[in-house]
């Protein structure tokens, strides 16, 4: 079967708005065609957990009315653009599961600010996207509802934790998706799936309504296929929110300087990153190629040092589990979340519900965080981790006295196959170049720079900006995009290609979401785990074994902080 309908999700923001304004197509056509494409193709990628057809058609009707009235310009920068959201972002009337059995029957009573602003900007919401459970992972293998597959090679992971968000853009199922990034969870899957992926400076986007992993590390950002579309998305979602005290007032048009080029800009390169153990030759070659293109475009290339960056991973695996432990304490099986039946005492109910509701990686991080925050241990590891955090932040501040932006790898390698990464250190090394940016709070993004010479899979280059100067990295990315072009849809999903075998998907719709009722297809009527969960359980057990040494990470922090 060939994909003959217009692929609106593969269009850019400007192209969609122009087509609406000229009445080449209607917003209803965009909504219906995009939802049909999701159902036709998502069986291959499993990027979506739930669709929002009713909301999409309501938004489309409002946009078509605006076109008829000649008021489309007032509808916002994303008018008519098909969008979708990572499933840790609340959207009223939809399930927000965080890809965990713990929240399989939770229906959102409110909407996250970033989601609300995307819809108010005119985006047509298509649904909720798969992720690693509670954002714990780098491959989307820990989802309780089955792994998402990379559209460039269905035998490979899309990265994580925002794997569904990256795969949806890579497969042309949505033009813009939102993900969250705690240690690389936007940039790494963006690199694996060949998408533009932006983690803004901490505080640029409100976190209200986003289920927290690490509250001092999390930040929301967009996946797109062009730098300009990412800037449009940031214009829609950025800014102060009275419901999030960490959000900041901004007076920035992220599209304003995209055409200025890099002539005269000082671009930093970190030699320690380029010589890091585990960095593959094909990724290193692509980063070096991007640096040379920047030099040819007129940028000054400057070597900078980040002497404490090597301690970032150790600090992260103290701070992250501690904050995760605190944030997951709310899931007590009483107020909401999975409640194991048949217990005579509250303690037994707590233990059984949390043991069955959380997957192995979530349980591991809860136990690790509990240990690290316990009396006698807190002073030994948590305090040094915070000291390392300060040192890393100071390193970046000193570097930006010399340069306007830093270029680095995103991930040491391209997308790996399911089960290929058997060593726990190798799994954590997926984020070795991204974690320090979250610790310091700087902005960072991944820009696709073509395919690796050996694997022929997407490679992303990481651009890192000073705090609250995210327009710097977008400007550099736009200059590089003149060389590499916008990110393409993965070949097997490109417009006009036959649909991949087994691509049809029966995705539950949010219109069926009723508080207290399990999400159709994810849990059985008897309340037990459904087929998708059972299918992923073996993978989770294998992942649990591969990551069994996670508890060793914090014990490097004391030495690193000396």
């Amino acid at each position: 079967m060939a994909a003959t309908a217009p692929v609106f999700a593969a269009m850019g923001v400007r192209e969609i708005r122009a087509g609406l304004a000229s009445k080449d197509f209607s917003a209803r056509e965009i909504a219906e065609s995009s939802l049909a494409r999701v159902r036709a193709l998502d069986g291959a990628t499993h990027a979506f957990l739930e669709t929002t057809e009713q909301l999409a058609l309501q938004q489309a009707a409002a946009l078509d009315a605006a076109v008829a009235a000649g008021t489309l310009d007032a509808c916002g920068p994303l008018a008519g653009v098909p969008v979708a959201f990572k499933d840790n972002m609340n959207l009223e009337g939809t399930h927000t599961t965080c890809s965990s059995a713990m929240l399989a029957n939770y229906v959102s009573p409110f909407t996250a600010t970033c989601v609300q602003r995307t819809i108010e900007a005119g985006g047509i919401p298509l649904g909720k996207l798969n992720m690693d459970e509670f954002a714990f992972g780098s491959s989307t293998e820990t989802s309780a509802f089955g792994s998402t597959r990379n559209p460039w090679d269905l035998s490979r992971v899309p990265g994580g934790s925002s794997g569904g968000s990256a795969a949806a853009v890579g497969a042309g199922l949505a033009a813009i998706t939102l993900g969250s990034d705690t240690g690389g969870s936007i940039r790494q899957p963006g690199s694996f799936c060949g998408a533009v992926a932006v983690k803004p400076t901490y505080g640029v986007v409100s976190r209200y309504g986003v289920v927290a992993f690490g509250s001092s590390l999390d930040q929301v950002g967009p996946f797109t296929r062009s730098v300009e579309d990412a800037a449009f998305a940031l214009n829609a979602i950025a800014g102060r929110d009275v419901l999030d005290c960490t959000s900041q007032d901004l007076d920035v048009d992220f599209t304003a300087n995209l055409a200025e080029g890099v002539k005269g800009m000082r671009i930093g390169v970190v030699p320690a990153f380029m010589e890091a153990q585990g960095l593959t030759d094909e990724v290193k070659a692509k980063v070096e190629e991007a640096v040379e293109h920047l030099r040819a475009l007129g940028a000054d290339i400057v070597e900078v040092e980040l002497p404490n960056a090597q301690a970032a991973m150790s600090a992260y695996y103290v701070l992250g589990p501690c904050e995760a432990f605190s944030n997951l304490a709310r899931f007590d099986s009483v107020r909401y979340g999975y409640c194991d039946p048949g217990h005579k005492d509250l303690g037994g109910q707590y233990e059984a519900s949390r043991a069955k509701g959380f997957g192995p990686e979530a349980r591991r991080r809860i136990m690790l965080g509990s240990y690290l925050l316990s009396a006698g241990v807190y002073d030994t590891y948590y305090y040094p981790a915070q000291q390392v955090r300060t040192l890393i932040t100071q390193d970046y501040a000193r570097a930006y006295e010399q340069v306007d932006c830093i270029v680095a790898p995103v991930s040491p390698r391209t997308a790996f196959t399911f089960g290929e990464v058997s060593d726990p250190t190798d799994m954590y090394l997926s984020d070795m170049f991204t974690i320090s940016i979250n610790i310091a709070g700087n902005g960072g993004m991944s820009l696709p720079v073509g395919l690796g010479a050996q694997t022929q899979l997407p490679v992303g280059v990481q651009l890192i900006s000073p705090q609250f100067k995210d327009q710097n990295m977008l400007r550099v990315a736009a200059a590089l995009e003149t060389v590499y072009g916008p990110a393409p849809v993965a070949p097997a999903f490109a417009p006009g290609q036959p649909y991949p075998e087994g691509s049809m998907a029966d995705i539950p719709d949010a219109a069926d979401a009723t508080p207290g009722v399990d999400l159709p297809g994810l849990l059985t009527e008897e309340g037990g785990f459904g087929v998708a969960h059972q299918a992923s359980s073996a993978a989770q057990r294998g992942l649990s074994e591969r990551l069994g040494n996670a508890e060793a990470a914090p014990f490097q922090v004391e030495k690193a902080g000396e």
Side-chain angles (χ1 to χ4, degrees), residues 6-12 16 25-26 29-31 33-34 37 80 82 175 225:
V7 182
F8 296 105
M11 296 181 182
I16 290 172
F25 44 78
S26 68
E29 287 180 88
I30 295 174
S33 177
S34 298
R37 180 172 168 85
R225 269 182 299 281

Side-chain angles (χ1 to χ4, degrees), residues 228-433:
E228 184 182 56
D229 284 1
F232 280 129
L234 286 175
N235 281 346
I237 64 177
R240 174 69 176 160
D241 175 18
V242 296
L243 298 173
D244 177 7
C245 64
T246 66
S247 63
Q248 302 296 310
D249 273 321
L250 298 170
D251 185 18
V252 178
D253 177 359
F254 291 100
T255 66
N257 67 347
L258 297 183
E260 292 181 5
V262 294
K263 188 173 182 179
M265 289 188 77
R266 296 168 300 167
I267 309 296
V269 175
V270 184
F273 283 176
M274 300 305 296
E275 301 301 327
Q277 184 177 2
L279 180 65
T280 59
D281 291 340
E282 63 177 347
V283 172
K284 182 178 180 179
K286 275 295 181 182
V287 176
E288 291 174 339
E289 176 188 276
V291 170
E292 290 308 309
H293 283 308
L294 290 171
R295 194 192 306 273
L297 291 168
D300 295 326
I301 306 302
V302 180
E303 289 190 354
V304 294
E305 299 295 335
L306 299 172
N308 294 288
Q310 77 280 358
M313 188 168 295
S314 299
Y316 177 84
Y317 281 103
V318 171
L319 300 175
C322 288
E323 295 189 19
F325 165 70
S326 177
N327 284 318
L328 294 181
R330 71 194 70 180
F331 301 108
D332 58 9
S333 79
V334 175
R335 290 165 291 185
Y336 58 89
Y338 174 72
C339 181
D340 197 58
H343 296 276
K344 296 181 180 180
D345 63 277
L346 194 58
Q349 179 182 303
Y350 280 168
E351 291 178 7
S353 298
R354 289 171 67 84
K356 295 180 182 179
F358 289 126
E361 182 61 23
R363 295 196 299 270
R364 179 178 296 108
R365 299 203 189 200
I366 289 170
M367 291 187 291
L368 182 55
S370 175
Y371 169 74
L372 291 168
L373 290 174
S374 62
V377 177
Y378 181 91
D379 291 342
T380 304
Y381 297 111
Y382 187 76
Y383 275 163
Q386 291 288 23
Q387 291 169 334
V388 168
R389 182 177 201 162
T390 299
L391 293 173
I392 292 171
T393 304
Q394 292 172 345
D395 285 348
Y396 274 104
R398 281 191 291 269
Y400 288 119
E401 293 174 359
Q402 306 173 56
V403 298
D404 303 302
C405 183
I406 292 174
V407 177
V410 178
S411 174
R413 57 177 299 170
T414 56
F416 46 87
T417 57
F418 291 98
E420 177 184 347
V421 179
S422 58
D423 182 83
T425 303
D426 286 346
M427 180 65 79
Y428 291 135
L429 286 177
S430 295
D431 297 329
M432 64 186 293
F433 300 116

Side-chain angles (χ1 to χ4, degrees), residues 150 152 157-160 162 166 184-198 223 283 286-287 408-415 430 434 445-452 457-462:
N150 191 317
W152 286 81
V157 304
S162 306
S185 291
I186 289 175
R187 290 156 289 159
Q188 185 249 22
S191 179
F192 279 13
C193 293
V196 177
V198 181
F223 292 84
V283 172
K286 275 295 181 182
V287 176
V410 178
S411 174
R413 57 177 299 170
T414 56
S430 295
T434 55
M445 66 179 289
S446 174
L447 179 79
V449 290
L451 306 181
L457 292 170
V459 176
V461 64
Q462 184 172 203

